[in-house]
Amino acid sequence: MSRRIKAPLGSYKYIAGLFSAIFSLLISGCNNSFGPDGLRGTHPLYNEAIVSTINEQFVQNIVRLHYRDPTFFLDVSNVAATLKLEFSGGLYQSSLGSGSDILKLNALSTYSTQPTISYSPLQGENFVKSMLSPIPVEALFSLIASGWNGGRVFGVCVERVNGLENAPSASGPTPSLAPEKDQPFNRLMELMVKAVDNKVVMLHADPKTKEPMLGISASPDHSAVTSEIKQLLGLDENIDIYRINGEFTKPRPDTVSIRTRSLMSIMFYLSHHVDSPELHKQEGLVTVTRDKHGTEFDWGKTAAGKSFHILQSDTYPEKAFVAIPYRGYWFYLADNDLESKSTFMLLTQLFRLEAGAAKSVGPALTIPLR
């Protein structure tokens, strides 16, 4: 700010006092934006930026798997922001030659923030094990008990239940041949959603061994649902509590054998329902899955494909929840595709649950932002 004051030289004391008062007012006003107010102004912005970049990283890695490109994860390990406030001012005199002087009062304040963000690569033995190890069955039932849809959880995370297959060939790079035996599993998922919602299927623990047990109650109101579930799984309909294990070579009528997917297998499964540009199909950059008749297979018919779909566009999509550029095109989740967004949220929660405990290994990349 600049202010002209015409006063005799004897008024310096008055002018200096005025300058001091104005300067104090500046400091007082600026201080109001520091401390708690500064936190309110910066915390939501950093939070939003970090969440956005993590979401983009997940989508990018899923698209990479679609193209059989290597994946990589970076974790934001530290965010430090330094708030800086500087003041400057001056009192300048010039003579008019008629016994009077002009005093100019200048005051200036500047505010700046200097963020420093540290990234750490997620790698090492613990992280790799967490990505490749099958997800515990107990974790799946915990997710369902916390409110997640049972069909979504099992449809994405389970590869096989007894003799029912959920596209086991989809747990790796895109297969050239379509899965053919997934319809009974899809029917099981429909029934399980009804059974879980009505609390006739629940996870128990053996009081002696503490091993997980699956309870399928003989509720008269839902007998048709529970009876069909037991028939599909080849279970003894005269009992209500069944053992759970991962042994498929010796099927038993009192046992439910569940093979779960690993985090990496889940990401591979989800990567198959990524739309590919026709040019990339023609150039052989992606695998085109076909059925036994030679027709291109629609991955949207699978248990995971029904709840997750990454779209593709030549230009930036205006209504996207997450969008990333890759190989000259845009890949994105539509903001109004609530099914895909819910499955994407499930994936991020599973990642935190299974891989979150693995510490980052290797040098951290620290970037000061200006």
Side-chain angles (χ1 to χ4, degrees):
M1 66 182 69
S2 178
R3 181 173 181 177
R4 291 171 172 265
I5 302 174
K6 185 175 180 181
L9 293 176
S11 301
Y12 287 166
K13 186 175 181 179
Y14 166 77
I15 298 301
L18 180 61
F19 173 78
S20 177
I22 296 176
F23 195 70
S24 298
L25 183 62
L26 281 174
I27 294 177
S28 174
C30 292
N31 280 341
N32 289 333
S33 64
F34 274 66
D37 289 339
L39 180 62
R40 294 189 186 97
T42 58
H43 184 278
L45 299 178
Y46 284 113
N47 184 286
E48 181 179 356
I50 292 173
V51 170
S52 297
T53 54
I54 290 176
N55 288 344
E56 291 168 4
Q57 179 175 243
F58 270 106
V59 172
Q60 185 178 50
N61 279 325
I62 292 173
V63 174
R64 282 173 174 167
L65 292 176
H66 183 69
Y67 282 88
R68 303 198 186 188
D69 294 337
T71 61
F72 193 72
F73 287 91
L74 279 176
D75 183 33
V76 178
S77 57
N78 186 55
V79 178
T82 301
L83 304 179
K84 188 177 183 181
L85 183 63
E86 295 179 337
F87 295 99
S88 62
L91 189 62
Y92 306 96
Q93 172 191 353
S94 61
S95 178
L96 296 177
S98 59
S100 299
D101 296 308
I102 292 180
L103 298 179
K104 294 182 179 180
L105 175 65
N106 294 318
L108 177 67
S109 65
T110 59
Y111 162 81
S112 64
T113 179
Q114 296 178 332
T116 300
I117 300 178
S118 298
Y119 299 92
S120 298
L122 293 176
Q123 54 188 10
E125 181 180 357
N126 290 338
F127 178 71
V128 173
K129 285 183 177 179
S130 67
M131 292 295 293
L132 299 181
S133 299
I135 296 173
V137 174
E138 297 88 340
L140 302 187
F141 279 94
S142 295
L143 288 168
I144 295 173
S146 67
W148 280 100
N149 179 277
R152 187 186 314 279
V153 174
F154 274 82
V156 171
C157 303
V158 173
E159 186 178 277
R160 187 192 303 265
V161 181
N162 285 11
L164 308 185
E165 297 181 351
N166 178 20
S169 61
S171 294
T174 308
S176 57
L177 296 178
E180 297 180 352
K181 301 178 181 179
D182 57 346
Q183 289 307 316
F185 183 89
N186 291 341
R187 175 56 181 166
L188 176 66
M189 291 302 98
E190 295 176 5
L191 296 171
M192 287 292 289
V193 170
K194 297 178 181 179
V196 172
D197 288 345
N198 291 288
K199 298 181 180 180
V200 295
V201 171
M202 299 182 67
L203 187 68
H204 301 278
D206 187 287
K208 295 182 179 179
T209 64
K210 305 301 180 183
E211 293 180 348
M213 307 285 287
L214 186 67
I216 304 178
S217 81
S219 170
D221 296 334
H222 308 287
S223 58
V225 172
T226 56
S227 177
E228 188 174 354
I229 289 176
K230 293 179 180 181
Q231 290 175 11
L232 283 171
L233 295 176
L235 299 175
D236 185 348
E237 295 193 42
N238 296 318
I239 58 179
D240 297 333
I241 303 295
Y242 303 87
R243 297 173 59 248
I244 296 178
N245 63 24
E247 179 60 57
F248 290 88
T249 58
K250 299 178 180 179
R252 295 167 51 106
D254 64 344
T255 302
V256 178
S257 299
I258 301 177
R259 178 180 295 171
T260 61
R261 285 185 160 92
S262 65
L263 273 173
M264 183 56 69
S265 296
I266 291 173
M267 292 184 66
F268 267 118
Y269 193 7
L270 297 177
S271 75
H272 304 325
H273 202 198
V274 174
D275 288 349
S276 305
E278 288 298 324
L279 179 62
H280 288 183
K281 295 180 182 179
Q282 297 170 9
E283 293 179 344
L285 297 178
V286 296
T287 299
V288 178
T289 305
R290 301 186 182 278
D291 61 21
K292 59 184 178 181
H293 303 294
T295 304
E296 183 174 348
F297 179 69
D298 179 12
W299 282 98
K301 296 180 180 180
T302 61
K306 291 178 180 179
S307 66
F308 188 79
H309 189 194
I310 292 182
L311 304 172
Q312 171 266 320
S313 174
D314 297 342
T315 59
Y316 178 79
E318 295 298 331
K319 296 182 179 180
F321 168 61
V322 185
I324 58 109
Y326 200 74
R327 290 179 174 262
Y329 293 86
W330 285 92
F331 296 87
Y332 66 99
L333 290 174
D335 199 22
N336 61 353
D337 185 357
L338 301 184
E339 285 295 312
S340 292
K341 290 172 68 175
S342 295
T343 301
F344 184 74
M345 190 186 304
L346 173 64
L347 173 64
T348 58
Q349 286 200 5
L350 285 170
F351 186 85
R352 296 188 186 100
L353 181 66
E354 296 300 309
K359 296 182 180 179
S360 57
V361 177
L365 175 63
T366 301
I367 302 178
L369 304 179
R370 300 182 184 279

